[in-house]
Amino acid sequence: MDNLQNSGTYGFGNSAGTGLDLASQRNRVLRNTYWLLALALIPMGLGGLIGTQLSFDFLRSSPILGVLGMMAVIYGLMFAVQANRNSGVGAALLLVFTGALGVMLGPLLQFALHLSNGGTLIAYAAVGTAVIFFTMAAIGTTTKRDLTGLGKFLTVGAVVLIVAMIANIFLHMPVLQLVIASLFMLFSALVILWQMNAIVTGGETNYISATLTLVVQIYNLFVSLLQILIALAGGSRD
């Protein structure tokens, strides 16, 4: 991957390059984002495998504190990645972050694997996530429209979804969980569209930040899709 910092490309100087130079810089960010994203999915997958073997009894004994504690770790790592996004430390922390996300998949994967068709549902969720990601990425990188304005709408949507998710920790409403999962799928798909468009239009010039955003949305897509599949098509428990 190319250098993390480049004068005039990542906000460290005035860019006086030609249109061709700008296009080259944006293509470099896009290329590095895809490379880092592919690399980041490896620790996420390994973390998921580890998570299926771990005990999450603390979530049963104290589900609210357990979930809030896991969220604190995840958001702390996200902050650390962003704080170091202009150095190799940021890339390393991103891999730690994706590994932690994979481990957090443990309880959901364990539940799914105890269903008679759990393995199939996990495969469907993975394929569905890939299809949605590549579809939205293709649209975002090829559309002629500047989707910068979508960012404000997505910010509001993120706040609403987080509040709803925290509320349902206390409410335990299955129907609300399905609604939240469906909205998270829509939200994540739109964020992927917006982020990829921001890269090709020059709104995003740091591939570590871009990859962090995409990784989170891929995680949300997979989790939401798997939850919906379990609720609608889950077989009997072994």
Side-chain angles (χ1 to χ4, degrees):
M1 289 182 287
D2 297 323
N3 292 333
L4 297 178
Q5 300 178 8
N6 202 350
S7 179
T9 305
Y10 297 102
F12 294 97
N14 294 322
S15 177
T18 64
L20 183 60
D21 292 332
L22 290 174
S24 176
Q25 292 165 1
R26 293 169 184 176
N27 287 335
R28 185 185 306 122
V29 175
L30 181 63
R31 182 175 66 251
N32 287 347
T33 297
Y34 275 126
W35 274 110
L36 185 57
L37 180 61
L39 181 62
L41 292 178
I42 296 175
M44 183 182 288
L46 293 176
L49 291 175
I50 294 172
T52 61
Q53 306 301 317
L54 297 179
S55 172
F56 291 90
D57 289 337
F58 67 94
L59 289 177
R60 300 186 185 93
S61 59
S62 184
I64 295 176
L65 289 178
V67 170
L68 293 178
M70 292 170 71
M71 289 178 63
V73 171
I74 290 302
Y75 281 103
L77 283 171
M78 289 176 65
F79 176 82
V81 172
Q82 283 286 47
N84 294 276
R85 63 186 179 276
N86 293 316
S87 71
V89 174
L93 287 172
L94 178 67
L95 300 182
V96 174
F97 170 72
T98 58
L101 282 181
V103 173
M104 282 184 59
L105 286 172
L108 179 60
L109 293 178
Q110 289 179 17
F111 183 86
L113 290 172
H114 279 88
L115 300 175
S116 59
N117 61 342
T120 301
L121 296 181
I122 292 173
Y124 284 161
V127 172
T129 298
V131 169
I132 293 172
F133 171 79
F134 286 112
T135 299
M136 302 310 289
I139 296 173
T141 54
T142 57
T143 183
K144 302 300 182 181
R145 297 184 59 184
D146 185 343
L147 303 177
T148 304
L150 187 59
K152 295 180 180 178
F153 170 78
L154 293 173
T155 300
V156 175
V159 172
V160 172
L161 284 172
I162 291 173
V163 171
M165 182 176 65
I166 294 175
N168 205 42
I169 294 175
F170 299 92
L171 297 175
H172 299 292
M173 296 176 59
V175 174
L176 180 57
Q177 181 58 42
L178 274 180
V179 172
I180 292 173
S182 300
L183 291 176
F184 255 115
M185 284 187 61
L186 176 61
F187 172 81
S188 297
L190 290 176
V191 173
I192 292 169
L193 174 69
W194 169 80
Q195 182 65 86
M196 299 304 291
N197 182 257
I199 294 174
V200 298
T201 58
E204 176 60 81
T205 56
N206 187 291
Y207 70 85
I208 292 181
S209 291
T211 305
L212 175 63
T213 299
L214 294 174
V215 162
V216 172
Q217 305 321 313
I218 289 173
Y219 174 87
N220 287 337
L221 274 175
F222 176 78
V223 169
S224 300
L225 187 53
L226 183 54
Q227 288 176 338
I228 293 172
L229 288 172
I230 289 174
L232 300 180
S236 59
R237 289 180 63 83
D238 293 338

